[in-house]
Amino acid sequence: MGTYLNKICQTPNLDALAKKSLIFNKAFTSVSSCSPSRSALLTGMPSHQNGMYGLHQAENHFDSFSSVKSLPKMLEDKGIRTGIIGKKHVGPEGVYPFGYEQTEENNSILQVGRNITHIKLLAREFLNNSTEPFFLYVAFHDPHRCGHTNPEYGEFCQRFGNGEEGMGLIPDWQPITYQPDELVLPYFIPNTLEARKDVAAQYTTISRLRPSSDNGIPFPNGRTNLYDSGIAEPMFISSPLHRERQHQVTNSLASLLDIVPTLLEWYNITIMKMTSLKIILLRKNGTLTGKSLLPLLVKEPDDKSKEAVFASHTLHEVTMYYPMRMIRTQRYKLIHNINFYSPFPIDQDFYLSPTFQDILNRTKSGQNLNWFKTLKEYYKRPEWELYDLKYDPEELNNIVKKNSSREIFEDLKKRLFRWQKDTNDPWICAPHAVFENKGNFKTNPQCLDLDNV
């Protein structure tokens, strides 16, 4: 979008909103996968803590734990009206109840997730019936591919609602067509014609309206990855009570795990406990490790050197088992590829995409990929990846084995382990040990060595 200095993709409504908002330059999802990310956003807990290990879909049925109390449930309990329009893709219903629901569960996802005219009317219906405090969650579907399920509409449903025969009509939308040769591709996407056409198709849908996202874009090094290209998020916060920093930028680190603490403070229903490091929010079923972002609306922190955000990925589709954990500070990132013995998995809709098919075909025929990695490098990853983002923002030079990096590696490793412990991560000892916390180990949980190095 224009706010983030894209000079091609036209996003006037979002840019107008940004002028009334604090703009986040360093906001990140806690997991680059749809349902796990939505569950983290709505519970304040990473997916390994709330139980949504992978995509919530009928045949695989990943669900959050029934004991989890999500944001809409907490708000409803306090008399705050809640609503959701668009993609829900989390469960069970008892954990994520909204008072007003217009989602893929009772509508076509194309209508409630991409038809902005219909979305507008549904939002108006909800707002016209609200006299009390409310929370409305509008989840657009345009960041997602649709070519594998609805190929007639294009790779990103860019033809849906454009007025052509059989495509339907979205009255509030005048489609914008982008020329592939005019695009400036980010470093992590192959500089090929197929990839350019692919990105141009997504730009058309982004120009509909894309206020936010919950996971990385469905391109190589994007979704399902914990590199910045997979977890970086656009984020604005606009508040009528905070005008001090409107149309300003913050470089403070923020996570989607911060959304619940932020909204709980906004509604004045947080329970806080002061620690020596930060405010931690507590609930009966676990610790929230995020923080409220409201102070940023008033003032930029004087010292950001101790800031860190964390990420946790386990699965996307049910066959895509590749657990990873991550800590990112202002300067460094450490990724733990727990299943590093196996090749990095590829999801179904991305596999069929023009971009990935072109990478496959070029690899098989020995052609230049015009990409910053080889396919083999993309599939096969080391157990630990450490990057100095100051000098290596593209995350190409893994410095984990350098002697000069030993101290920072050990420090980040300890901080990551501490976060895993705070969030009851079942993978805390993997892959070189077994976590024992019952029976003889109930009062003294331990990682017991597998001797599998």
Side-chain angles (χ1 to χ4, degrees):
M1 60 185 74
T3 300
Y4 288 99
L5 305 183
N6 188 307
K7 300 183 184 304
I8 303 296
C9 190
Q10 298 180 37
T11 54
N13 292 333
L14 299 177
D15 299 337
L17 175 62
K19 292 179 180 179
K20 301 178 181 179
S21 307
L22 178 64
I23 303 163
F24 285 74
N25 259 359
K26 294 180 179 178
F28 303 93
T29 182
S30 68
V31 51
S32 189
S33 173
C34 179
S35 300
S37 182
R38 291 167 191 267
S39 71
L41 187 153
L42 291 171
T43 66
M45 298 176 174
S47 57
H48 68 251
Q49 187 181 14
N50 72 56
M52 185 70 69
Y53 299 129
L55 296 183
H56 172 72
Q57 51 200 50
E59 60 267 33
N60 299 326
H61 210 268
F62 286 108
D63 271 333
S64 288
F65 301 129
S66 59
S67 61
V68 169
K69 197 171 184 180
S70 71
L71 180 66
K73 183 67 168 68
M74 288 186 279
L75 297 183
E76 289 277 3
D77 287 349
K78 296 294 182 178
I80 296 166
R81 186 166 182 248
T82 63
I84 178 173
I85 299 170
K87 190 167 185 180
K88 188 176 183 181
H89 210 199
V90 289
E93 175 62 28
V95 171
Y96 300 97
F98 289 83
Y100 176 90
E101 295 200 16
Q102 299 289 346
T103 72
E104 76 277 9
E105 295 179 355
N106 56 357
N107 295 268
S108 161
I109 186 58
L110 296 181
Q111 293 299 330
V112 294
R114 297 184 190 264
N115 185 337
I116 58 173
T117 300
H118 189 52
I119 293 169
K120 174 186 72 175
L121 296 176
L122 292 175
R124 184 176 296 165
E125 177 182 78
F126 175 85
L127 296 172
N128 284 345
N129 290 313
S130 288
T131 56
E132 67 272 25
F134 68 88
F135 168 73
L136 178 61
Y137 173 53
V138 183
F140 294 88
H141 198 235
D142 281 321
H144 294 75
R145 292 183 183 273
C146 76
H148 65 305
T149 55
N150 297 97
E152 69 275 17
Y153 293 123
E155 189 62 30
F156 285 93
C157 280
Q158 67 271 17
R159 293 196 292 271
F160 171 73
N162 70 358
E164 294 180 20
E165 185 177 352
M167 299 295 109
L169 179 67
I170 299 176
D172 290 311
W173 182 45
Q174 292 295 323
I176 299 173
T177 301
Y178 295 90
Q179 301 304 314
D181 60 346
E182 295 180 355
L183 305 186
V184 178
L185 295 179
Y187 68 91
F188 57 90
I189 295 180
N191 188 12
T192 62
L193 179 59
E194 290 301 322
R196 287 176 169 275
K197 290 179 180 177
D198 221 2
V199 173
Q202 192 182 41
Y203 274 18
T204 295
T205 64
I206 289 173
S207 293
R208 262 199 283 249
L209 179 71
R210 187 187 170 187
S212 66
S213 179
D214 62 356
N215 49 245
I217 65 172
F219 284 88
N221 236 62
R223 187 178 65 196
T224 73
N225 284 273
L226 297 186
Y227 303 118
D228 274 13
S229 48
I231 62 172
E233 293 292 307
M235 186 162 76
F236 310 152
I237 294 183
S238 180
S239 165
L241 304 183
H242 301 83
R243 301 182 183 276
E244 299 94 323
R245 304 195 67 196
Q246 288 189 354
H247 206 202
Q248 291 187 21
V249 169
T250 175
N251 284 303
S252 184
L253 298 181
S255 164
L256 292 191
L257 293 175
D258 298 333
I259 298 298
V260 166
T262 301
L263 291 174
L264 289 179
E265 183 177 354
W266 175 263
Y267 291 110
N268 196 30
I269 57 175
T270 52
I271 302 172
M272 295 186 178
K273 176 183 177 183
M274 292 299 298
T275 71
S276 59
L277 295 177
K278 61 181 180 179
I279 293 176
I280 294 181
L281 298 163
L282 301 177
R283 288 217 308 272
K284 291 180 180 178
N285 57 351
T287 301
L288 296 186
T289 54
K291 63 185 183 300
S292 172
L293 300 174
L294 292 185
L296 292 174
L297 300 182
V298 179
K299 184 177 182 293
E300 188 77 353
D302 294 327
D303 182 9
K304 296 189 279 287
S305 62
K306 300 297 183 182
E307 292 183 342
V309 291
F310 298 87
S312 165
H313 178 95
T314 307
L315 300 105
H316 185 66
E317 294 164 3
V318 70
T319 56
M320 295 176 62
Y321 179 71
Y322 202 85
M324 300 176 284
R325 302 295 183 262
M326 182 217 79
I327 176 173
R328 188 199 194 279
T329 66
Q330 286 284 352
R331 178 165 177 177
Y332 295 100
K333 176 185 287 185
L334 179 67
I335 300 174
H336 188 194
N337 296 309
I338 297 172
N339 201 33
F340 68 100
Y341 290 114
S342 296
F344 188 79
I346 306 297
D347 51 297
Q348 290 175 317
D349 62 331
F350 174 54
Y351 178 84
L352 294 177
S353 71
T355 297
F356 190 73
Q357 286 296 307
D358 190 50
I359 290 175
L360 280 180
N361 292 335
R362 286 171 177 265
T363 299
K364 291 176 181 178
S365 62
Q367 296 181 60
N368 188 346
L369 298 185
N370 292 317
W371 193 29
F372 75 141
K373 293 182 178 180
T374 66
L375 198 52
K376 183 178 180 181
E377 289 170 337
Y378 190 66
Y379 288 151
K380 193 61 178 174
R381 306 180 183 191
E383 180 177 4
W384 295 97
E385 297 179 70
L386 176 63
Y387 299 105
D388 185 339
L389 302 173
K390 179 179 180 179
Y391 298 105
D392 182 27
E394 297 178 356
E395 298 165 287
L396 291 172
N397 184 25
N398 183 7
I399 60 174
V400 72
K401 292 184 177 181
K402 288 190 173 183
N403 290 332
S404 58
S405 305
R406 178 55 52 184
E407 186 176 343
I408 187 66
F409 172 57
E410 293 298 334
D411 177 62
L412 292 178
K413 194 175 174 182
K414 287 178 182 177
R415 294 175 70 180
L416 181 59
F417 184 85
R418 190 184 312 134
W419 179 75
Q420 290 182 264
K421 185 177 180 181
D422 289 343
T423 55
N424 301 314
D425 189 352
W427 284 265
I428 192 169
C429 301
H432 303 298
V434 171
F435 181 53
E436 294 287 358
N437 64 344
K438 295 178 175 63
N440 294 334
F441 301 94
K442 186 174 182 179
T443 59
N444 185 28
Q446 294 183 38
C447 292
L448 300 183
D449 185 28
L450 283 167
D451 194 27
N452 68 345
V453 178

